């Protein structure tokens, strides 16, 4: 198993014992599927939590078979990239026997994350009101499309709908163009991040008070929370945000511009940088042009501004301009594809692609840790689990011997 220990820190000496990861000893029940919930729980597992993935028998997490192409084994790459550092237990929560085993697991847990449609966990008798009676210190997070209450609560929770209904799609794309969603699932991943932030805060609180709590997280609210910059213009000036392509609504020039061989991004975000840009381009006439004199002027004449700048930018390649602009302190960057970003010198240095061992796939690629803890760097200690791989192991840990497990099996605890 790959072990990522040396990110952004010095290697400890042979006499130093490794410090335990910060969530060592914390048990998380991952009762979620697809993206937001599994992603949140994977982050907790990366920090050392014992994440037990509770999956329905037969199919398991639907991402195993329904998200992207498969490799050598039965699981998709989507599943393999969101479920490392977990153990899998199959339980039929529709059966009384399955719920009995689940309640025993709840007694040993610190955090539970689920992302079924509102009302499903209550119907299964696995909702917070029910399970908190077995464990009052449990932190229980529900992830859904639109939250547990409100007129949209019962709607299916998908990233596309959350992006559309939160307003994110209203500012994505080019002016006058058709609707465009963000190229990455910002509502799903954002909700997973907000849920992680909430459960860790609630867990710290429960350590102090002995009382857990219920957390209601939604894709809709996560996407809305990302509007902090765009909505400021509306609330402050009454100007409704619209799509701007790669441009910025607060400063210009700050966007992708055309060069001789393609595009690159640059930003002269204050007056000093604007003057430096004009000097670098050897375009002194732009400084005194009344259309471009101040940032508000440049924002009001953004299109003609970019046309003027591109008259200069198309004379050289993107790489040449990026190098020249950076040399004089003007922010600039090359536009990379995902493969180029991961394989770039910097991406490799930051270890943003790592390979982990898997019993079916051999070496399988995973995205590296997005933040680096220097004192207790995250580790990969478990490959994405096979369906039900850890049933016997986990159930024995909570005191169920072979006979008890066999009795539960006979009553349908682990079967569809």
């Amino acid at each position: 198993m790959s072990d990522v220990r040396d990110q952004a820190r010095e290697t400890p000496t042979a006499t130093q014992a490794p410090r335990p990861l910060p969530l060592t000893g914390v048990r998380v029940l991952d009762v979620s599927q697809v993206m937001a919930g599994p992603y949140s729980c994977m982050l907790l597992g990366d920090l050392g939590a014992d994440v037990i993935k509770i999956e329905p028998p037969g199919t398991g997490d639907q991402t195993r078979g329904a998200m992207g192409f498969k490799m050598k084994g039965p699981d998709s790459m989507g599943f393999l990239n969101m479920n490392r550092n977990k153990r899998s237990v199959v339980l039929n929560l529709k059966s009384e026997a399955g719920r009995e085993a689940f309640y025993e697991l709840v007694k040993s847990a610190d955090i539970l994350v689920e992302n079924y449609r509102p009302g499903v966990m209550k119907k299964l008798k696995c909702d917070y009101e029910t399970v908190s009676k077995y464990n009052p210190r449990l932190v229980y997070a529900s992830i859904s499309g639109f939250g547990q209450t409100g007129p949209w609560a019962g709607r299916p929770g998908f990233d596309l709908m959350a992006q559309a209904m939160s307003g994110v799609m209203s500012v994505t794309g080019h002016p006058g163009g058709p609707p465009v969603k963000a190229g990455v699932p910002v509502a799903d991943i954002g909700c997973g991040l907000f849920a992680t932030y909430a459960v860790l805060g609630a867990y710290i609180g429960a350590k102090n008070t002995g009382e857990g709590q219920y957390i209601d997280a939604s894709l809709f609210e996560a996407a809305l929370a990302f509007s902090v910059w765009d909505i400021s213009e509306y609330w402050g000036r009454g100007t409704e945000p619209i799509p701007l392509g790669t441009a910025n609504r607060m400063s210009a020039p700050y966007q992708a511009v055309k060069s001789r061989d393609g595009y690159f991004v640059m930003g002269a975000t204050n007056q000093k940088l604007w003057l430096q840009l004009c000097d670098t381009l050897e375009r002194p006439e732009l400084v005194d042009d009344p259309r471009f004199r101040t940032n508000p002027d440049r924002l009001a004449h953004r299109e003609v501004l970019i046309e003027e700048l591109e008259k200069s930018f198309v004379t050289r390649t993107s790489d040449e301009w990026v190098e020249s602009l950076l040399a004089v302190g003007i922010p600039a960057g090359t536009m990379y594809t995902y493969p180029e970003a991961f394989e770039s010198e910097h991406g490799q240095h930051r270890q943003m692609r790592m390979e982990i061992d898997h019993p079916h796939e051999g070496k399988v690629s995973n995205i590296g840790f997005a933040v680096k803890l220097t004192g207790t760097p995250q580790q990969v200690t478990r490959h994405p689990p096979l369906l039900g791989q850890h049933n016997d192991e986990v159930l024995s840990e909570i005191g169920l011997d072979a006979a008890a497990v066999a009795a539960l099996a006979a009553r349908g605890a682990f079967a569809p």
Side-chain angles (χ1 to χ4, degrees):
M1 179 66 59
S2 298
D3 218 8
V4 182
R5 299 173 181 268
D6 58 347
Q7 300 184 55
R9 68 172 177 89
E10 295 180 358
T11 303
T13 64
T15 59
Q16 291 178 312
R19 292 163 59 184
L21 291 171
L23 296 185
T24 298
V26 176
R27 173 162 286 182
V28 178
L29 300 185
D30 178 3
V31 196
S32 66
Q33 301 191 54
V34 189
M35 189 171 295
Y39 186 76
S40 174
C41 293
M42 183 182 73
L43 296 180
L44 298 174
D46 288 348
L47 292 173
D50 176 20
V51 180
I52 300 172
K53 188 173 181 68
I54 309 297
E55 301 188 71
T59 59
D61 182 338
Q62 62 184 271
T63 313
R64 288 183 181 271
M67 298 292 285
F69 65 91
K70 296 181 182 179
M71 307 256 296
K72 301 173 184 175
D75 298 328
S76 72
M77 273 300 293
F79 178 86
L80 297 176
N81 259 285
M82 287 184 290
N83 289 282
R84 64 179 177 238
N85 285 335
K86 301 180 183 181
R87 298 190 284 174
S88 172
V89 169
V90 163
L91 283 179
N92 182 358
L93 297 180
K94 296 179 180 179
S95 72
E96 183 179 350
R99 288 193 295 272
E100 286 180 15
F102 181 70
Y103 297 152
E104 291 300 316
L105 283 168
V106 164
K107 293 176 184 178
S108 71
D110 300 287
I111 296 165
L112 186 154
V113 178
E114 65 91 9
N115 67 348
Y116 287 89
R117 193 180 297 194
V120 170
M121 291 296 276
K122 184 175 181 63
K123 185 177 180 180
L124 293 173
K125 300 178 182 178
C126 296
D127 56 302
Y128 176 70
E129 184 178 358
T130 299
V131 303
S132 62
K133 296 174 183 176
Y134 294 94
N135 183 355
R137 60 181 174 78
L138 182 70
V139 173
Y140 187 118
S142 289
I143 292 174
S144 62
F146 298 94
Q148 301 296 307
T149 62
W152 298 345
R155 295 192 180 196
F158 290 92
D159 180 87
L160 178 63
M161 287 69 197
Q163 285 199 37
M165 298 175 73
S166 66
V168 167
M169 286 177 61
S170 75
V171 297
T172 306
H174 291 275
V180 178
K181 74 176 183 67
V184 295
V186 293
D188 263 320
I189 297 300
C191 186
L193 292 171
F194 283 123
T196 304
Y197 141 84
V199 298
L200 290 176
Y203 171 73
I204 294 171
K207 291 281 283 184
N208 294 329
T209 66
E211 296 181 4
Q213 62 178 293
Y214 181 70
I215 294 166
D216 181 359
S218 79
L219 276 63
F220 172 72
E221 288 157 288
L224 265 179
F226 286 152
S227 72
V228 61
W229 187 253
D230 301 87
I231 202 63
S232 296
E233 181 182 24
Y234 176 67
W235 285 341
R237 299 172 55 190
T239 304
E240 184 174 317
I242 61 171
L244 293 174
T246 61
N248 185 282
R249 63 187 75 257
M250 299 296 186
S251 60
Y254 184 91
Q255 64 184 84
V257 290
K258 190 172 184 179
S259 69
R260 191 171 73 196
D261 62 347
Y263 287 85
F264 68 97
V265 293
M266 56 77 58
T269 53
N270 58 44
Q271 195 66 12
K272 178 181 178 180
L273 290 174
W274 165 246
L275 296 176
Q276 181 65 66
L277 176 63
C278 295
D279 183 62
T280 303
L281 297 179
E282 299 180 354
R283 298 285 302 276
E285 76 278 10
L286 297 179
V287 174
D288 297 321
D289 192 315
R291 298 171 299 176
F292 312 138
R293 193 163 289 147
T294 66
N295 186 59
D297 295 330
R298 294 191 289 276
L299 284 171
H301 301 92
R302 189 199 313 270
E303 290 187 10
V304 66
L305 168 66
I306 299 305
E307 289 176 4
E308 286 293 332
L309 294 178
E310 287 183 343
K311 290 178 182 178
S312 298
F313 287 141
V314 295
T315 63
R316 299 170 64 189
T317 67
S318 293
D319 285 345
E320 289 172 335
W321 278 119
V322 169
E323 183 178 358
S324 294
L325 294 177
L326 290 177
V328 295
I330 299 173
T334 304
M335 295 181 63
Y336 286 140
T337 63
Y338 278 134
E340 290 170 338
F342 276 101
E343 299 306 320
S344 68
E345 183 180 8
H346 189 75
Q348 292 185 59
H349 175 81
R350 299 297 295 175
Q351 299 182 328
M352 286 310 297
R353 175 181 177 178
M354 60 184 177
E355 291 190 328
I356 62 177
D357 296 322
H358 190 274
H360 288 160
E361 310 299 342
K363 297 288 186 182
V364 62
S365 294
N366 262 214
I367 295 176
F369 305 119
V371 294
K372 276 67 175 178
L373 278 70
T374 58
T376 55
Q378 304 97 308
Q379 303 172 25
V380 177
T381 58
R382 295 183 181 275
H383 61 74
L386 306 180
L387 180 60
Q389 177 181 349
H390 303 97
N391 268 53
D392 292 343
E393 176 181 301
V394 171
L395 295 177
S396 67
E397 290 174 4
I398 59 172
L400 297 178
D401 59 20
V405 172
L408 288 172
R411 295 168 54 209
F414 317 119

